Amino acid sequence: MKTAIIYFSQTGFTKQYAEWIAEETGGECIPFAEAGKRDFSEYDTIAFGSWCHAGMIRKLNWFKEKMPQWQGKKKIVFAVGATPAESPEIAEALRKNFNDEEWAQVSVFYCPGGLRYENMKFGSKLMMKMFAKMMDGKKDKTESEKVMAEMIGKSYDISDHKYVMPIAECVKSFS
């Protein structure tokens, strides 16, 4: 069984998860920039990982456009974000990225990453800092808003290898 793990990473968290998945499954990590040049016909499983911003999985449309070509293959999406895995909003946000037909064809997972301001592009960094300042200045914050304001004010890492285990099991179940 051959597995391709395509990843699009801005600050390194998605790349780290892709590498961990490859270690657990024997799969091949492929940076998104190289994916367009590849023939995936020899793979049994195709996993796509990318980072989330405002609930949207970046570059997901590329994967969804390719899905019809990958009939009979296991299709997996793993999204990496700055929100802790326990957040109740994650499931709903992930679901909104797919229509019903797509959702039925793909296994979707979430992996918490964090923020690395030092690795962000200028526009993303500016937008996050503005959002952090807005959250910090908000009056009558809920408890979750207080936690969010504190978290997004600086870089942090909540990634953990344990989050790849369900993905690895999903890959292995398709042998």
Side-chain angles (χ1 to χ4, degrees):
M1 183 176 82
K2 220 170 160 187
T3 301
I5 304 148
I6 304 157
Y7 66 91
F8 181 67
S9 189
Q10 181 184 34
T11 63
F13 291 109
T14 307
K15 180 181 181 188
Q16 179 64 70
Y17 276 111
E19 290 170 350
W20 284 339
I21 294 165
E23 286 172 15
E24 293 295 330
T25 64
E28 178 184 357
C29 279
I30 302 167
F32 180 78
E34 296 175 18
K37 306 168 197 156
R38 300 291 289 266
D39 174 12
F40 292 98
S41 61
E42 64 190 69
Y43 295 92
D44 304 295
T45 300
I46 300 172
F48 174 75
S50 188
W51 55 283
C52 294
H53 178 72
M56 301 304 297
I57 303 169
R58 298 300 179 197
K59 305 294 184 186
L60 182 63
N61 282 340
W62 174 87
F63 180 83
K64 293 191 316 184
E65 288 169 8
K66 300 286 185 188
M67 284 175 58
Q69 300 170 24
W70 298 333
Q71 293 298 320
K73 298 180 186 298
K74 178 74 174 175
K75 293 174 280 299
I76 297 170
V77 170
F78 63 99
V80 180
T83 303
E86 307 78 38
S87 175
E89 296 98 26
I90 290 173
E92 183 180 337
L94 291 176
R95 180 64 179 92
K96 286 181 180 179
N97 283 271
F98 301 90
N99 65 35
D100 292 341
E101 183 182 342
E102 294 162 345
W103 187 255
Q105 296 177 43
V106 67
S107 299
V108 182
F109 299 89
Y110 179 77
C111 303
L115 290 173
R116 287 187 179 132
Y117 282 107
E118 62 276 11
N119 292 2
M120 282 185 188
K121 293 180 180 175
F122 177 75
S124 295
K125 188 185 304 188
L126 180 63
M127 191 169 26
M128 287 301 299
K129 289 293 187 179
M130 287 172 45
F131 182 65
K133 196 163 196 70
M134 181 192 78
M135 286 298 297
D136 193 44
K138 185 178 178 188
K139 294 183 185 332
D140 301 323
K141 289 188 275 272
T142 65
E143 205 51 46
S144 65
E145 288 172 332
K146 289 176 187 175
V147 170
M148 182 190 304
E150 185 178 331
M151 287 180 75
I152 65 173
K154 60 187 178 310
S155 293
Y156 65 93
D157 182 348
I158 54 174
S159 61
D160 192 317
H161 186 275
K162 72 181 181 183
Y163 294 105
V164 305
M165 300 317 288
I167 302 168
E169 288 303 315
C170 184
V171 168
K172 293 172 185 175
S173 73
F174 191 68
S175 53

